Amino acid sequence: MTDYFEVHERDGAARIGELRLADPLTTPAVADEVVTDAGSLWPEEREVPDGDESTLTVLPHRGLPAGTPEEVEDAFAVDYPDVDYPSAAVVTPATAADHGTDAYVLSNASGYAGHAAAFVDAVVSVREATPADTALYLPGVATPANVATLVYAGVDLVDTDRAVLRGTQGFYQTTDGEYFLEDLDELPCACPACQQPASEFDREDCAEHNQRALAAELARVRRRVRDGTLRDYIEGQARHEQWLTATFRRLDQQYSYLEQRTPVVRRNEITAATDDTIRRVEIQRFAERVTNRYRSRFSNPLVLVPCSAKKPYSESQSHGQYHDVIQWRAHVASMTSPIGVVPQELELTYPAQHYDSVVTGEWTATEIEFVSDVLEAYLRRNDYPKVVAHVPPEGYREIVERATADLDVEPVFTVEDHPTTGDSLSNLAAELEGELKYPKREREHNTIRAIADYQFGDGAGDELFDDLHTESRYPKLRVTDGDGEQLAAMVPEYGVLSLTVAGARRWVDSDAPVARVEIDDFVPHGSVLAPGVVDASDSIRPGDEVVIEGPSAFGVGRAAMSGPEMVESTRGIASEVRHVDER
């Protein structure tokens, strides 16, 4: 049971936590002043220290280098004692397990620095083998240049050992690398250690500067984690060192590790500045759900249109011009990088209205491949009587042609030069001549069901809302049943559904997969804390709609952590509670 560490906020594998010492420490942080090492068991046996609540005590341990044979690790494994003060255990990827401590120290951590594959494998292995609400400590690794990537991977505690060592060796560290002290004509920093001429700046000053630069970078990283923008930051910041770029790309390949920890909705905007953005969990998850969960319920032709800088697309000037021509006679889907394909019903759904991309007028090979693959999968799943591609020739046309090359689909291209010219719009109108408009009621009902499919699973829209009525105006639609009881409401900020208790009961009674949080015998108000969780669905992700059930209560809310973390954790808010009925 973890008594002295609690996670408060999450941004993928990165966390804002609290090491609950006599003087609490907000993580990620430098741990120099709060860690006491009880020593190695290699030279001699050691007594279990008394410890106290002012420091994190690393219990007597045996460090092992990477590559140690498993039988050797087993032979020299340490049986860590159960203590009643903040403690840490030293582990390797092979020996990592729940040892009952509050933190885990990666043995020989410095040996992984510079080796992306080994580093990612080690961190992921340790994080997945140890309880979710424990801290991960990597000594001897952190620098101002790499600490953002360390935190992104899941590290909570670091020290200044490497920064100090490099300083005493004459290496001046910054967030974009390090410089030989002798090569600096001026000091590119405003910290107290640097408030002197470069000619008087010695190696002791350099070590102090490196420490201050590391502390400043950690403060910046904590702000990024709170804002949910750490990935945006490292996509640019990590490129000055090849191993850091390789590290976050390797982490992208550990999709299940990041996906489990990445919220399904959040407020911040995604900055799509590089091809690496396409591999982000949020982008891949959206594409997967659109091509595996979503199904068009319209019998009208499909019109593919380019995205717009303004979000949601329907509020842009260009999409307003398309709408004036289409007039609800066709189903519209937008093509965009890095999102892929966005059906009109999901234009508000995160991250479809929460991104901004760099516009150059040209598509990269990676973008063309990704969007064409998504479009092909989308068209295989959805059968349209006609596909009209009202897209610019550059890039878009190649994507459509690649996506339909192996399909029984003959797309009609309607753009002469630009989608909003008179000739192009006239061509679009001609292709829709004679098509009937679908009514507002059908549009609203299909939107609710499409969001439900995306949010809850394939077919959930029909399962939950086989009979429904909509009230209010889009995008603030309210959903009621035939008797007028409210089942859900659309949340414009995220483009998802917020269920009432009646809606949650209908979800439980349906054949759609239910995200359940089983709680102990109490009635929650406001939130459910992790100690009150008995069990939770593995599929739950932060931000998911969840059903909360216990002997004394039935409710609905939004998850604050993943299902596995709810079960493992002994501290923190597991789920917010929106509505609850006492049994």
PDB file of all heavy atoms in Angstrom, residues 53 214 331 436:
ATOM      1  N   GLU A  53       9.617  10.590   8.419  1.00  0.00           N
ATOM      2  CA  GLU A  53       8.737  11.140   7.388  1.00  0.00           C
ATOM      3  C   GLU A  53       9.286  12.398   6.727  1.00  0.00           C
ATOM      4  O   GLU A  53       8.605  13.015   5.907  1.00  0.00           O
ATOM      5  CB  GLU A  53       7.351  11.424   7.981  1.00  0.00           C
ATOM      6  CG  GLU A  53       6.640  10.155   8.432  1.00  0.00           C
ATOM      7  CD  GLU A  53       5.172  10.377   8.739  1.00  0.00           C
ATOM      8  OE1 GLU A  53       4.711  11.529   8.650  1.00  0.00           O
ATOM      9  OE2 GLU A  53       4.485   9.390   9.068  1.00  0.00           O
ATOM     10  N   LEU A 214      18.417  22.947 -14.621  1.00  0.00           N
ATOM     11  CA  LEU A 214      17.592  21.737 -14.474  1.00  0.00           C
ATOM     12  C   LEU A 214      16.332  22.039 -13.676  1.00  0.00           C
ATOM     13  O   LEU A 214      15.230  21.614 -14.049  1.00  0.00           O
ATOM     14  CB  LEU A 214      18.404  20.637 -13.797  1.00  0.00           C
ATOM     15  CG  LEU A 214      17.670  19.319 -13.504  1.00  0.00           C
ATOM     16  CD1 LEU A 214      17.107  18.713 -14.773  1.00  0.00           C
ATOM     17  CD2 LEU A 214      18.603  18.335 -12.804  1.00  0.00           C
ATOM     18  N   HIS A 331     -23.969  13.702 -47.321  1.00  0.00           N
ATOM     19  CA  HIS A 331     -23.238  13.563 -46.068  1.00  0.00           C
ATOM     20  C   HIS A 331     -21.833  14.109 -46.292  1.00  0.00           C
ATOM     21  O   HIS A 331     -21.160  13.740 -47.264  1.00  0.00           O
ATOM     22  CB  HIS A 331     -23.186  12.092 -45.657  1.00  0.00           C
ATOM     23  CG  HIS A 331     -22.445  11.861 -44.383  1.00  0.00           C
ATOM     24  ND1 HIS A 331     -21.478  10.880 -44.240  1.00  0.00           N
ATOM     25  CD2 HIS A 331     -22.507  12.478 -43.178  1.00  0.00           C
ATOM     26  CE1 HIS A 331     -20.995  10.900 -43.007  1.00  0.00           C
ATOM     27  NE2 HIS A 331     -21.605  11.868 -42.345  1.00  0.00           N
ATOM     28  N   LEU A 436     -32.400  14.353 -52.588  1.00  0.00           N
ATOM     29  CA  LEU A 436     -33.344  14.871 -51.607  1.00  0.00           C
ATOM     30  C   LEU A 436     -32.621  15.301 -50.330  1.00  0.00           C
ATOM     31  O   LEU A 436     -31.641  14.665 -49.910  1.00  0.00           O
ATOM     32  CB  LEU A 436     -34.388  13.813 -51.271  1.00  0.00           C
ATOM     33  CG  LEU A 436     -35.256  13.338 -52.445  1.00  0.00           C
ATOM     34  CD1 LEU A 436     -36.202  12.231 -51.978  1.00  0.00           C
ATOM     35  CD2 LEU A 436     -36.029  14.504 -53.054  1.00  0.00           C
TER      36      LEU A 436
END
